[in-house]
Amino acid sequence: MNSFSVKTKNDLCSSPIKKKCCQTAFLYGYLYASDACHEQKIILSFESDIIRKYVSKILTDLFFIEVAEEKTVILRNEDMAKELFAVFEFDGSAVIRDLIYTCEHCSRYFMRGLFISAGHLTDPNKSYQLDFTGLSEEKMAELHRFLAWQGLPAGRSRRNGKPILYYKSMVKIEAFLRFVFASSAVFELINAEMIGEERNELNRLGNFENANLNRTISAASEQIAAVKRLFESHQIKQLSDELQYTAELRMQHPEASLAALAALHEPPITKSGLTHRLKKIVEIAQAL
């Protein structure tokens, strides 16, 4: 079973890129994330067959390059590699080229390619995190500036001594996914957030009800203990008829709520009236 991250990438790869400039920007992003690009050969790695087919089609559309049906593909044709290098101006610099601004959507497809190549997204039902790994220090710094310029500022850290960029809030992850047109992932993110909120509300209500139940049980235990003490000390007869009646009902119905116990009185009394009587019984017992 694919992870949520791979599923999101596969969903992105189900959406064709129509304009050549956006295809170029996407491929640039995909290759930008890799340090395995040299003028003699280019190494391409794919997390899924869907991603391989998607990248392969773009390579075919732009450069007439066919990609083998393998998860790791090495393009050894020197002329082919040089052509790609010429288009993307890979000269060892980490600077992101202006070709990603050819049209209004190119920068978005550049980030789509980079995310598919070097991004990772956790399952929102477990935690919120989207990060980028595997890029050099210089490229991470450049990408950090680029994302900030796009209104998508990311956090910076290190993992196992290597640099990473990350998002850890639902709002920022949603903004990034919208930026790369990942509508299906956005929907799942929002759905997970709604389920989480409902779960938290149920937990809150459950805790509230448990607290009320514990208070009710504690109060009932105190009342029953007071009535027992009055009986054992033979002081029960010293109470008024109303208090004796209430004390006997409490002993007969130890688990009854205040509302239920009030309704058992003949004639019925109010809940506040019952509370007053029980409070008086407890005070008399405590004074013994």
Side-chain angles (χ1 to χ4, degrees):
M1 180 182 290
N2 289 330
S3 67
F4 181 75
S5 184
V6 174
K7 179 179 180 297
T8 299
K9 294 177 182 181
N10 287 344
D11 287 342
L12 283 171
C13 292
S14 67
S15 171
I17 305 174
K18 298 178 181 179
K19 297 176 69 174
K20 295 291 185 182
C21 61
C22 292
Q23 287 183 321
T24 302
F26 170 87
L27 189 59
Y28 178 41
Y30 195 87
L31 295 175
Y32 183 86
S34 174
D35 288 327
C37 293
H38 311 280
E39 288 194 36
Q40 290 74 34
K41 65 179 180 181
I42 295 175
I43 301 176
L44 299 172
S45 296
F46 310 105
E47 285 190 81
S48 73
D49 191 51
I50 293 175
I51 295 172
R52 181 193 61 77
K53 289 179 180 178
Y54 192 69
V55 175
S56 177
K57 184 179 186 310
I58 293 173
L59 280 168
T60 301
D61 289 347
L62 294 177
F63 301 102
F64 306 102
I65 297 174
E66 296 289 340
V67 176
E69 295 184 6
E70 299 173 2
K71 282 205 167 184
T72 300
V73 175
I74 302 176
L75 304 178
R76 296 185 181 277
N77 187 312
E78 188 173 332
D79 292 335
M80 184 189 302
K82 284 182 177 180
E83 184 178 0
L84 288 174
F85 267 69
V87 171
F88 299 128
E89 299 181 56
F90 287 133
D91 57 2
S93 171
V95 175
I96 296 173
R97 304 300 178 184
D98 288 341
L99 64 85
I100 70 167
Y101 301 113
T102 304
C103 83
E104 60 180 331
H105 295 312
C106 283
S107 60
R108 294 173 176 241
Y109 284 108
F110 166 76
M111 278 311 305
R112 175 185 286 195
L114 206 151
F115 170 70
I116 290 175
S117 181
H120 178 265
L121 179 63
T122 60
D123 186 337
N125 292 298
K126 298 177 181 178
S127 64
Y128 295 125
Q129 180 152 335
L130 187 156
D131 56 42
F132 295 92
T133 59
L135 280 74
S136 67
E137 295 277 1
E138 295 77 12
K139 286 184 177 181
M140 280 295 190
E142 177 74 355
L143 180 58
H144 184 260
R145 286 190 291 270
F146 170 79
L147 289 170
W149 179 255
Q150 297 295 330
L152 301 166
R156 299 181 70 177
S157 185
R158 303 189 75 80
R159 183 184 297 157
N160 300 323
K162 297 181 179 180
I164 67 167
L165 293 182
Y166 65 86
Y167 298 106
K168 287 190 176 182
S169 78
M170 185 266 192
V171 173
K172 290 185 176 182
I173 293 173
E174 181 184 344
F176 177 86
L177 292 174
R178 288 186 186 278
F179 184 75
V180 298
F181 304 115
S183 55
S184 295
V186 169
F187 176 79
E188 291 198 41
L189 195 70
I190 294 173
N191 190 50
E193 176 74 1
M194 292 173 62
I195 292 174
E197 288 178 354
E198 290 178 2
R199 187 182 296 114
N200 290 337
E201 180 64 13
L202 288 173
N203 288 337
R204 187 188 68 78
L205 291 174
N207 292 336
F208 179 76
E209 291 175 359
N210 286 336
N212 280 342
L213 180 60
N214 289 335
R215 282 194 292 272
T216 299
I217 293 172
S218 178
S221 298
E222 183 182 36
Q223 295 155 11
I224 292 169
V227 173
K228 284 183 177 180
R229 187 172 184 183
L230 290 169
F231 271 106
E232 291 170 357
S233 62
H234 306 291
Q235 298 297 310
I236 193 71
K237 296 297 183 182
Q238 302 302 316
L239 305 182
S240 65
D241 291 343
E242 289 181 345
L243 293 184
Q244 286 188 52
Y245 181 43
T246 294
E248 290 170 358
L249 280 177
R250 173 44 92 195
M251 287 296 291
Q252 294 168 10
H253 305 279
E255 297 180 358
S257 65
L258 288 178
L261 193 61
L264 288 171
H265 283 67
E266 188 60 46
I269 62 175
T270 64
K271 187 177 175 180
S272 60
L274 174 62
T275 299
H276 177 75
R277 288 189 189 184
L278 291 170
K279 183 178 179 182
K280 192 68 177 176
I281 290 170
V282 171
E283 288 175 349
I284 293 172
Q286 289 176 343
L288 294 177

